[in-house]
Amino acid sequence: MAALPYWRLSSFYLFYFALLGSTAPFLALYFDHLGFNAARIGELVAIPMLMRCVAPNIWGWLGDYTGRRLAIVRFGAICTLLTFSLIFIDKSYAWLAMVMALHAFFWHAVLPQFEVITLAHLSGQASRYSQIRLWGSIGFIITVVLLGRLFEWLSLDIYPVALVLIMAGIILASFWVPNAQPLQGARVAGEGFLRQLRNPGVLAFYICVGLMQVSHGPYYTFLTLHLERLGYSRGLIGMLWAVGVVAEVLVFLLMSRILARFSVRRVLLASFLLAALRWLLLGSLAEFLWVLLFAQVLHAATFGSFHAAAIHFVQRSFGPRQQGQGQALYAALAGTGGALGALYSGYSWNALGASWTFSLASLAAFAAAVIIATRMQEDRP
């Protein structure tokens, strides 16, 4: 067996999620710096999320058809940088909308294909995946902390330059990684997908996936602006984002034990209820630092335990021939919900204010909890 290229694979995850760490907390802040109102900010942030509904399926089909996954990763990384660099030409709304759509179309092509390459390298060592993926969370944490400090010292005008440098890191890492091909099995049409989708609780689960991402709309779009207007420094805001990701990493490390003790239904129900609490705290009591810290620790539930339990549910609910379609539907609904969340929060932020916008997010999460409690059957731990 060839030696695992641990650091080469890890470097890619580090830079890829460093880019996410530079966009999730600071993209809306940059658009606000350019003078756009809340509605326009929500629309611009929603565009990359909408691309997540489309791009992975197109590039995934191309990867299956050609088998040239690493070439797609490298092409997508280069085109991400080139299309985003168009931001230096103009800063009008229409031009930025085009830049957001183009770069996201290529950016969302990269990770699914790279995951296949990583798992091919890990053949026989699948338990080491978390050791590699951990560097993605480290990249996110480093970026939010460093950029938060940097934007305290320098103008937000340098923000696009920081993103381009991280995108260049993704390109370099993609060319450092050696190729690997997964073992080829027989390709069988998933004609039973719709039938399995009608199994008890499955449709309810997918509705709740969309609701969870809708509830994250104000968080990913306006949290940084919300905290800045409450008087928090950009450096501290970056550290608060990092607290959430650290909590996420810790719960990932514990999820195998949690799912061995509690059913998927109970983990999902707890995740939705804690999400409802988290959004209420962020909307109404974020001026108290201890409350804000507690709310950020709840990211362990609103993303960590939810995502791990959701992946487990999809794997359990579909047969081997339908797994790909089940995961694709999960990604598509997550992207759709995220886009709707960004849009509604953009329109409600000025009209209703932060408290009511986060209250609507809490209501969406609570609605998902009710659906899980009433529509999903209890399963064995």
Side-chain angles (χ1 to χ4, degrees):
M1 182 183 297
L4 178 68
Y6 176 82
W7 290 111
R8 299 187 185 193
L9 295 169
S10 299
S11 69
F12 183 89
Y13 285 98
L14 185 144
F15 280 108
Y16 184 90
F17 286 95
L19 183 57
L20 184 62
S22 64
T23 54
F26 301 116
L27 188 60
L29 186 65
Y30 177 66
F31 291 145
D32 179 73
H33 172 73
L34 294 179
F36 292 106
N37 61 34
R40 289 291 180 260
I41 292 172
E43 291 163 2
L44 289 170
V45 171
I47 291 171
M49 297 181 184
L50 287 172
M51 285 294 107
R52 186 182 173 192
C53 306
V54 178
N57 295 316
I58 295 174
W59 292 106
W61 171 85
L62 187 62
D64 286 341
Y65 183 77
T66 65
R68 302 187 63 186
R69 300 183 189 278
L70 188 56
I72 291 174
V73 169
R74 292 168 176 171
F75 177 76
I78 292 171
C79 289
T80 298
L81 186 150
L82 292 177
T83 51
F84 183 81
S85 296
L86 296 172
I87 199 171
F88 295 109
I89 296 176
D90 190 21
K91 300 294 193 299
S92 67
Y93 173 78
W95 186 264
L96 288 174
M98 181 193 71
V99 171
M100 290 297 103
L102 286 176
H103 98 274
F105 179 77
F106 292 107
W107 186 32
H108 289 308
V110 168
L111 185 62
Q113 303 305 307
F114 195 81
E115 295 273 44
V116 176
I117 295 168
T118 299
L119 292 172
H121 278 295
L122 285 168
S123 179
Q125 307 176 70
S127 60
R128 296 194 64 186
Y129 173 80
S130 61
Q131 300 173 16
I132 295 172
R133 173 59 180 82
L134 177 66
W135 286 95
S137 298
I138 292 173
F140 188 104
I141 292 168
I142 292 172
T143 305
V144 294
V145 172
L146 290 183
L147 287 185
R149 292 295 183 188
L150 185 64
F151 295 147
E152 282 187 348
W153 303 329
L154 302 173
S155 168
L156 272 165
D157 291 330
I158 68 163
Y159 178 69
V161 177
L163 265 63
V164 165
L165 291 176
I166 296 172
M167 291 173 184
I170 297 175
I171 295 172
L172 292 175
S174 72
F175 278 92
W176 194 30
V177 172
N179 198 14
Q181 293 290 347
L183 296 176
Q184 297 297 319
R187 298 186 65 184
V188 184
E191 65 277 3
F193 176 70
L194 292 178
R195 178 178 57 80
Q196 294 182 29
L197 193 61
R198 291 194 294 269
N199 287 339
V202 177
L203 277 175
F205 162 78
Y206 279 112
I207 292 171
C208 292
V209 168
L211 286 171
M212 181 61 118
Q213 298 309 314
V214 167
S215 80
H216 277 73
Y219 177 73
Y220 284 121
T221 310
F222 290 111
L223 178 66
T224 300
L225 283 171
H226 179 48
L227 298 183
E228 190 173 60
R229 287 167 185 172
L230 288 175
Y232 293 98
S233 69
R234 291 172 181 173
L236 180 56
I237 292 170
M239 295 180 68
L240 287 165
W241 276 88
V243 166
V245 181
V246 170
E248 162 199 321
V249 170
L250 293 176
V251 83
F252 273 139
L253 296 175
L254 297 172
M255 276 311 298
S256 60
R257 296 181 183 180
I258 293 173
L259 288 173
R261 183 172 181 180
F262 300 100
S263 67
V264 170
R265 176 178 176 271
R266 291 185 180 183
V267 173
L268 288 172
L269 181 59
S271 300
F272 287 121
L273 290 174
L274 289 173
L277 172 63
R278 185 188 187 194
W279 308 141
L280 286 177
L281 293 177
L282 288 177
S284 302
L285 298 171
E287 63 269 24
F288 301 105
L289 181 59
W290 69 271
V291 173
L292 186 53
L293 284 169
F294 175 68
Q296 285 303 89
V297 170
L298 289 180
H299 193 70
T302 62
F303 179 81
S305 63
F306 165 75
H307 180 68
I311 294 298
H312 187 83
F313 180 85
V314 172
Q315 290 176 335
R316 189 191 68 191
S317 299
F318 296 95
R321 300 176 184 178
Q322 292 81 32
Q323 284 289 321
Q325 295 173 85
Q327 296 289 357
L329 183 59
Y330 174 72
L333 284 172
T336 302
L340 291 175
L343 287 172
Y344 102 77
S345 60
Y347 295 131
S348 69
W349 195 257
N350 285 339
L352 301 177
S355 180
W356 275 105
T357 300
F358 274 107
S359 295
L360 291 173
S362 178
L363 183 62
F366 184 76
V370 172
I371 293 172
I372 290 295
T374 58
R375 296 297 181 182
M376 182 178 285
Q377 295 180 339
E378 188 64 59
D379 57 300
R380 290 184 179 180

